[in-house]
Amino acid sequence: MSGYISDLLSSPRGQLVTTAVISGAAVATLIFGFQALEREERLSALKNSIPSVTDGKHHTTKLNSFGGSNENAEDIEDARNLALAQRAQAGDFDEELILEQLARNQVFLTPEGLDKLRNSFVVVVGCGGVGSHCTASLARSGVSKLRLIDFDQVTLSSLNRHSVATLADVGTPKVHCLRRRLMAITPWVHFDLRQQKFDGDVANELLGAWEDGQKPDFIIDAIDNIDTKVALLKYCYDNKLPVISSMGAGCKGDPTKIIIGDIGNSTDDGLSRATRRRLKLQGITKGIPVVYSTEQSGEGKAELLPLDQAEFEKGSVGDLGVMPNFRVRILPVLGTMPAIFGMTVANHVILSVTGYPVDYAPAKGRDKMYDGIVNYVQSCEEKLARLFEHDLVGLRSPITVGDVAFLTEELYRARSAITGIPTRLTLIRWRRPDAINVSVIGGGEEGGEEQKCSTVRLRDLVCMTKDEATRHEKQIFKAGVQLEKLYDAETIARVESKMAQAAEYESYRW
């Protein structure tokens, strides 16, 4: 073998091949070495171009809006980051370095998709646990214009769920904290900071166009106050602004139950339930995407902590809040859950802006159950009409599937008003009508087709299990037993309170 190699190397052909291989390797080494050297020089030039804060030309005292001392190492780093961000936002930043930082997004979204994302303008309302993680994800993914709206400051209790805040940020505005940290990661992102509370009076200003006239490509609702949340969603809905809302992450611990769906289907979440009821009163029943959890409360799970009795003795509980109408009780929050909510919201925005195809798994529907309840109400109304010996041909009920969903899910919280049992539910009249339960329109002397309709209203119905409803029908409707004989005073008061709420809701329907 060694003789063969010696003969090969001694031959002219072998020497030529050897020379070619060695030359190729040398050239490749030179090329790769030159590219590496060029890259190092570019990075070195970029770093050297960042102004030094010790040269007497730059003063860290200008960074007081971040809330830090002017004499520690952190302020020096802040000043360097700010100087770099100012250059980058002015266009003085290597585009190749930006594209390399966003390389994974580019190959996923395609270059065209990434361009759409980089040219987008997103508004984030609420910069706490959910909003901060959402903002950080959007900035890291390439969104170039971010307007951050929040009146609040970073607290020690914020640090278990905030995406970027540190101990040094405690006491500083949340919007400034986000910009301070994110400009060190994505210096080319333009931030518009609004340290104020959102409400309808300033909606036009806060949700208006960027300084160059660009309208928001998406608005993110990460608010945990019901009044403000409803005002924001109503404004976006009326003005056809793309919006996605994050529902309650508090008291949740199962990440597998977090889904994206329409607000009309988010029946298992407390904050969503309250938001949906308020919006329904204003004529909005669907068309707003939300991130919510289907996790149910249960024994041993976290709950809203009660307010200490000593606080009640101080006076009005509402006076204890930081601002009017904001909660004063402590909401248990597992730090990981707001992060998942926020990133889920950001994911939806990124895919929507770039046009990436999505096919979310639908929430488990209850339409079949609602249809069954509608049929049950219809059947009960027919039975009642027979008690008055009325002709039942063509009898109709005014109760719809939407009405059933409102009563069972919103009003009665998917539980029997009698026992609290959450299974095999239905709706039935609470009181036996004193007169005929059918109205007739047309026919007779007027001629034309006769229309018969049940007079049942939402305020007449109560949620029970099917077994309880069967007993109720036999005792109240057929036997004529008084409610006070069948149910205790507490149950009657509870049901009539719910019926009063249904009556209030009905007043907005016509």
Side-chain angles (χ1 to χ4, degrees), residues 365-374 404 408-409 422 424-425:
R366 306 184 77 168
D367 291 344
K368 186 176 180 180
M369 183 187 81
Y370 298 153
D371 287 335
I373 294 177
V374 168
V404 169
T408 56
E409 306 289 355
R424 302 186 72 244
L425 299 176

Side-chain angles (χ1 to χ4, degrees), residues 241-257:
L241 295 174
V243 63
I244 182 171
S245 178
S246 173
M247 294 299 154
C251 298
K252 307 296 184 184
D254 187 349
T256 66
K257 299 293 179 63

Side-chain angles (χ1 to χ4, degrees), residues 493-510:
R494 180 169 59 250
V495 170
E496 293 187 346
S497 173
K498 295 292 186 182
M499 294 171 71
Q501 294 180 47
E504 181 182 3
Y505 167 71
E506 277 187 308
S507 67
Y508 291 96
R509 300 179 70 204
W510 312 109

